[in-house]
Amino acid sequence: MELLLQLGLLVSNGTNRNNLISDLFFWYEKAELPVYMSENSKLNKSTTSVSNSVLCHASSTKWGKESGFKMNSKERSERCGCLVADVAKKAVDMLNGYFDEKYYTTDRSSEPVSNCKVCHVDGKLANIKGQMNCTSCHPKTLAHRVFGDIHYKIMD
């Protein structure tokens, strides 16, 4: 959260700031992390994972399942420190590119998220505001898949 506040202080244009934040979120969801590991790290390439979420508990839980480490382990604490380094480096790289006018936002669209946004962000419901992958925590229910399209067509 602190990093997002810093982006807000450095990038005054709201659209550009939101795009940078969205890009940072999308990168974190899709990157194999952590990249940074200290010389005497207990972590290695076999302890990296792709979180599919910017939420700490979701990212940590997925990593724990893939790496075999417990949530109260020293390795999990070390991973968190490594992630801070990775995210800070990415944000600095993005900001340097932005201020050098060499940074362009990436295509953040994904089919599941785009489908959700049709109704829940831009459409008739407009009941959420988010910049992350919805489906990592909120899979479509059977009822949603069966009745959703019909229901949205008859809504005012």
Side-chain angles (χ1 to χ4, degrees), residues 19-48:
N19 285 343
L20 285 164
I21 291 168
S22 292
D23 285 353
L24 187 62
F25 280 3
F26 186 76
W27 166 81
Y28 184 90
E29 289 176 339
K30 301 300 176 199
E32 179 114 3
L33 298 172
V35 172
Y36 170 79
M37 294 176 205
S38 67
E39 289 178 16
N40 36 345
S41 176
K42 294 181 182 177
L43 303 177
N44 56 47
K45 186 67 177 159
S46 68
T47 57
T48 62

Side-chain angles (χ1 to χ4, degrees), residues 26 30 52 108-121 128 132-140 144:
F26 186 76
K30 301 300 176 199
N52 290 318
R108 295 178 302 277
S109 63
S110 70
E111 188 174 330
V113 175
S114 296
N115 290 340
C116 297
K117 287 182 171 185
V118 168
C119 295
H120 291 282
V121 175
I128 64 162
M132 63 180 91
N133 180 0
C134 319
T135 57
S136 64
C137 295
H138 304 281
K140 269 190 174 180
H144 190 277

Side-chain angles (χ1 to χ4, degrees), residues 137-154:
C137 295
H138 304 281
K140 269 190 174 180
T141 63
L142 177 60
H144 190 277
R145 288 192 302 267
V146 172
F147 300 111
D149 290 341
I150 296 167
H151 177 73
Y152 300 138
K153 286 179 184 174
I154 61 173

Side-chain angles (χ1 to χ4, degrees), residues 24-37 43-54 59-60 62-64 66-67 75 78-90:
L24 187 62
F25 280 3
F26 186 76
W27 166 81
Y28 184 90
E29 289 176 339
K30 301 300 176 199
E32 179 114 3
L33 298 172
V35 172
Y36 170 79
M37 294 176 205
L43 303 177
N44 56 47
K45 186 67 177 159
S46 68
T47 57
T48 62
S49 66
V50 176
S51 69
N52 290 318
S53 177
V54 296
S59 175
S60 292
K62 182 162 188 201
W63 175 82
E66 291 185 16
S67 70
E75 290 82 5
E78 183 181 346
R79 174 189 180 262
C80 292
C82 293
L83 292 178
V84 169
D86 289 337
V87 172
K89 180 187 182 310
K90 180 65 173 179

